Amino acid sequence: MQNICIVAGARPNFIKVAPIMWAINNARQNGLDISFKLVYTGRSDDPTLEQTLFADLQISQPDVYLGVDCDSLNELTGRVMAEFERYLAANKTDVVIVVDDLASTMAVAIVTKKCGVRLAHLVAGTRSFDINMPKEINRLVIDGLSDYLFTAGAGSSSIVTREGAAMSQIYMVGNILMDTLRFNHSRLRWPAVIDSLGISEGRYLLFTLNRKALLSDEGKLKRMLVAMVDAAGEVPVVAPLRKPASDVVAGFGLPSGSFFAIEPLPYLEFGYLSAHAMGIVTDSGNVAEEATFNNIPCATLNSYTEHIETVSQGSNVLVGEDAARLGQAVGEMVAGKWKKCSLPDRWDGRTAERIVRILAEMK
């Protein structure tokens, strides 16, 4: 029996590991001697994990909650290391799969290697090339320690190659988010809350905001949002926002008939809004990747993207934090003048199958 530990450090990680859980379950039904446990580094009552999340993704809840929750990244790193070391001591594990670039992910990676367990990094090779970003340090450490580097595209594979990873460690498996989108495409549902707003399918822009750096500069953020709403004209902007972002935006006095801030949505409802929008404005790399899959125009409020394929081939453009560029992009969205797009290589919904096959062959 090959025992795999899948670690999630935040809500978005569950969306990426769900297909691996499905693929392992399918492999077991087909006679492969493999099992997994799902570990969450946070608390069981984490408010960011809505009650419907696991049902929407059709996965079981975590087998283990490490229970770590603190604001200091260094303190969080130390506490996750201690708790995960206890987990490995009590549970036979052959491979640990970590996702993305969180401090908790780095902590798990360090402990995994110190305990002599093989480490696999899902979405490896993503870089901002800004060493002042804490996540950039996390990425470098995790990739440097990993035995298996699962990348989403050729660009990410080239990055880890240049940094010294052996070719035998690198596997371009595609974008795992596409697996989740394909699996759930027929299950997406129109949010009932939108009906009360008088908004029609395909006649709205979707806006998301989470980055602390953007929220901290309220003057700049207000100029950007005013430019977005002005350029949208009669097209309403729907904004599912968590409380920190909602509180900041509420003070901007955006017109209530044009900008609709609503509560965060369950996964299947947000997925429907994203797939049927006229355009998307976001600071989330994941949302931009989903927009590329759905061929929806997308403007990202950042100067870089971890997956350049969303720009070079997909529907994404980078507008940074420039209000004028954002307004221009939104104007092009509502006018239907967006660039031509295509789907990047191996963004085909079979990433998890490739990963499980690779791990099975390497036993």
Side-chain angles (χ1 to χ4, degrees):
M1 172 71 72
Q2 186 173 29
N3 300 294
I4 297 176
C5 173
I6 303 171
V7 181
R11 180 188 182 277
N13 289 171
F14 288 107
I15 299 170
K16 293 184 178 181
V17 302
I20 298 178
M21 297 168 67
W22 308 329
I24 291 175
N25 287 332
N26 287 339
R28 290 190 66 184
Q29 291 176 5
N30 291 323
L32 193 63
D33 203 12
I34 188 171
S35 70
F36 72 89
K37 285 191 176 181
L38 178 62
V39 173
Y40 182 49
T41 61
R43 307 189 328 251
S44 58
D45 61 346
D46 187 333
T48 67
L49 305 182
E50 68 269 22
Q51 293 182 351
T52 60
L53 177 63
F54 300 102
D56 282 352
L57 294 175
Q58 294 194 339
I59 60 173
S60 57
Q61 294 202 22
D63 299 284
V64 176
Y65 292 87
L66 299 186
V68 178
D69 180 25
C70 53
D71 293 328
S72 167
L73 294 180
N74 288 333
E75 180 184 354
L76 182 145
T77 300
R79 289 176 58 187
V80 170
M81 288 179 69
E83 294 298 327
F84 193 66
E85 185 177 21
R86 293 189 185 95
Y87 170 85
L88 288 181
N91 296 271
K92 184 182 183 304
T93 305
D94 298 302
V95 181
V96 173
I97 300 176
V98 295
V99 191
D100 288 335
D101 50 20
L102 301 172
S104 56
T105 308
M106 180 183 69
V108 166
I110 293 171
V111 171
T112 298
K113 294 307 295 179
K114 284 190 172 184
C115 292
V117 177
R118 286 177 291 159
L119 176 66
H121 187 197
L122 180 58
V123 199
T126 58
R127 297 288 185 274
S128 67
F129 302 103
D130 181 357
I131 200 63
N132 294 313
M133 291 180 60
K135 285 188 176 182
E136 187 74 354
I137 297 171
N138 298 343
R139 295 164 183 156
L140 290 165
V141 172
I142 299 164
D143 280 350
L145 293 174
S146 294
D147 300 285
Y148 309 102
L149 295 159
F150 295 128
T151 69
S156 297
S157 295
S158 296
I159 286 171
V160 289
T161 300
R162 291 197 302 269
E163 292 175 355
M167 292 299 296
S168 59
Q169 297 175 270
I170 304 168
Y171 302 89
M172 194 181 88
V173 294
N175 192 325
I176 195 78
L177 276 178
M178 305 309 110
D179 292 40
T180 310
L181 287 176
R182 283 191 183 277
F183 180 84
N184 289 298
H185 187 266
S186 63
R187 302 175 61 240
L188 301 177
R189 57 178 181 264
W190 176 254
V193 66
I194 304 299
D195 290 332
S196 62
L197 304 179
I199 293 174
S200 303
E201 181 178 309
R203 287 293 303 171
Y204 60 87
L205 299 179
L206 178 63
F207 173 72
T208 77
L209 176 66
N210 287 291
R211 269 202 305 137
K212 291 181 180 179
L214 269 176
L215 292 170
S216 65
D217 192 338
E218 295 188 16
K220 179 187 290 184
L221 181 61
K222 182 177 181 179
R223 289 191 294 273
M224 294 168 66
L225 267 60
V226 168
M228 175 182 68
V229 172
D230 286 348
E234 296 181 356
V235 177
V237 178
V238 180
L241 300 175
R242 298 197 181 277
K243 194 173 188 310
S246 181
D247 289 346
V248 170
V249 172
F252 292 168
L254 298 172
S256 58
S258 300
F259 186 88
F260 298 89
I262 62 175
E263 294 287 326
L265 295 169
Y267 173 77
L268 295 178
E269 294 185 5
F270 181 85
Y272 194 101
L273 274 191
S274 175
H276 295 84
M278 180 179 287
I280 298 172
V281 177
T282 184
D283 62 352
S284 165
N286 289 351
V287 173
E289 292 163 42
E290 293 177 3
T292 281
F293 177 83
N294 292 315
N295 198 24
I296 302 295
C298 179
T300 296
L301 308 178
N302 214 330
S303 58
Y304 78 95
T305 173
E306 287 89 349
H307 294 290
I308 195 60
E309 297 94 338
T310 64
V311 176
S312 60
Q313 293 179 247
S315 62
N316 188 25
V317 298
L318 305 177
V319 299
E321 298 175 6
D322 187 316
R325 291 173 63 192
L326 174 59
Q328 179 182 356
V330 170
E332 292 173 358
M333 283 180 187
V334 299
K337 297 180 179 179
W338 209 249
K339 63 178 180 174
K340 293 183 179 180
C341 314
S342 63
L343 200 61
D345 185 28
R346 299 198 184 182
W347 290 31
D348 57 3
R350 302 187 64 186
T351 294
E353 293 177 25
R354 297 184 186 105
I355 290 171
V356 172
R357 185 169 62 248
I358 290 164
L359 292 177
E361 291 173 353
M362 290 295 183
K363 183 176 179 182

